[in-house]
Amino acid sequence: MKIALVQLDAKDLLWGPLEMPKILRQTMDADLVVFPECMPFDEAISITEAENSLASMTEGLTQAVIAGGYVLQNEIERNAVFLSYGGKIHGRYFKRLRWNEPQIAPGGEATVFEWNNMRCIPLICADAADNPSQTGTRMMYEAIRLGAGEQVPIVVSSYGAWLNKPYWQEPLQTWASGCGAPLLICGVSGKGDLFIDAGVSGNFGGGGSGVFWPYIWPNPNKKRSPWQLKRRGILLIDIKTGDCAFRQIRKNTASD
């Protein structure tokens, strides 16, 4: 399975549903394209509108797409990602652990996204950060029960900061090694609003999209370091071979 992680600036001109097809045309060699958390819906719209929008942009494409954001389900706000493939929605997942989001109703269960004989386990940002903990351990167990493994990766959409720091690296590696599955996280490259964490202020993003390999893969005697990208662009990862490649978003797109 080849997975393309699309890392954009938080205030990127490509941020939005109308611009997504420009990026998708540059990822035709991927089986799955993943966008950051809240891309493209950073303001709540109805879940029906969101699903119709995402479904329409994958019609006629060969790759599947994971994207989402804030949606209203029966007037209840949630943070969601959807799997869109072949012009249809094939799955939805609601963020289970809130981070500075008192307005959202958290989801209550894990799920597996399936398309074209491929599978992955979706998470959203803070879902992957709370580990090790009782909640994180339970969520890992659920992922394993759903089939997480060498060829069923865990895929995280994030809007977090410090993704290349121990603050994030340690729980992400825990997820990968605990489930025996590659963990791929798609984040924001930077230039977002201010946040304050542990008394330190900074910009959202800052880089870190990439893959964390479980220590038992491809063999128990070899550890594999995370491969992470800090720049705006597209990271293409082949989870079968372990190959990683970076490409810039072409200059005919809005931010360039």
Side-chain angles (χ1 to χ4, degrees):
M1 186 193 308
K2 294 182 179 179
I3 301 178
L5 305 179
V6 180
Q7 180 160 289
L8 299 171
D9 289 343
K11 300 298 183 182
D12 206 294
L13 295 177
L14 287 176
W15 200 286
L18 296 180
E19 305 296 335
M20 288 179 69
K22 298 178 182 179
I23 299 173
L24 294 175
R25 286 195 292 269
Q26 300 181 48
T27 58
M28 299 295 289
D29 52 343
D31 298 302
L32 174 66
V33 184
V34 184
F35 288 91
E37 181 184 15
C38 297
M39 168 65 180
F41 310 119
D42 53 8
E43 295 184 3
I45 65 171
S46 77
I47 194 169
T48 300
E49 289 178 280
E51 290 185 333
N52 288 343
S53 175
L54 293 174
S56 66
M57 70 179 64
T58 61
E59 190 169 0
L61 297 182
T62 58
Q63 66 269 52
V65 173
I66 290 179
Y70 291 116
V71 296
L72 295 172
Q73 182 188 42
N74 299 323
E75 300 185 355
I76 297 172
E77 186 169 349
R78 296 184 180 276
N79 188 337
V81 288
F82 305 92
L83 176 70
S84 183
Y85 175 67
K88 296 181 180 179
I89 298 298
H90 290 261
R92 59 171 67 156
Y93 171 76
F94 298 122
K95 186 176 186 178
R96 299 173 67 182
L97 300 180
R98 292 179 290 194
W99 190 89
N100 197 27
E101 299 167 298
Q103 80 281 8
I104 72 165
E109 60 184 15
T111 191
V112 58
F113 282 171
E114 300 183 71
W115 76 101
N116 197 25
N117 296 318
M118 300 179 195
R119 294 182 294 157
C120 72
I121 308 295
L123 296 175
I124 302 175
C125 204
D127 292 339
D130 185 30
N131 226 336
S133 70
Q134 289 184 344
T135 299
T137 300
R138 184 177 70 252
M139 292 172 69
M140 283 201 310
Y141 169 78
E142 293 169 351
I144 294 169
R145 180 172 51 81
L146 289 169
E150 287 186 13
Q151 298 304 315
V152 182
I154 298 161
V155 177
V156 186
S157 295
S158 179
Y159 199 81
W162 298 342
L163 294 180
N164 58 341
K165 303 293 185 181
Y167 176 88
W168 270 100
Q169 288 198 348
E170 292 175 2
L172 295 177
Q173 190 62 67
T174 296
W175 266 96
S177 295
C179 293
L183 182 143
L184 294 88
I185 183 164
C186 183
V188 177
S189 51
K191 300 181 182 179
D193 296 328
L194 291 179
F195 76 100
I196 297 177
D197 192 359
V200 179
S201 64
N203 288 318
F204 274 114
S209 289
V211 58
F212 287 72
W213 304 102
Y215 285 160
I216 64 171
W217 187 94
N219 64 66
N221 298 317
K222 183 178 179 181
K223 292 185 178 181
R224 193 165 188 152
S225 300
W227 203 105
Q228 290 184 272
L229 168 75
K230 299 180 182 179
R231 294 177 290 163
R232 175 185 184 268
I234 300 169
L235 179 61
L236 185 65
I237 299 166
D238 188 325
I239 66 167
K240 183 176 181 180
T241 65
D243 292 337
C244 301
F246 168 74
R247 66 181 59 154
Q248 294 182 343
I249 297 174
R250 289 199 299 265
K251 291 186 177 181
N252 62 350
T253 56
S255 283
D256 303 288

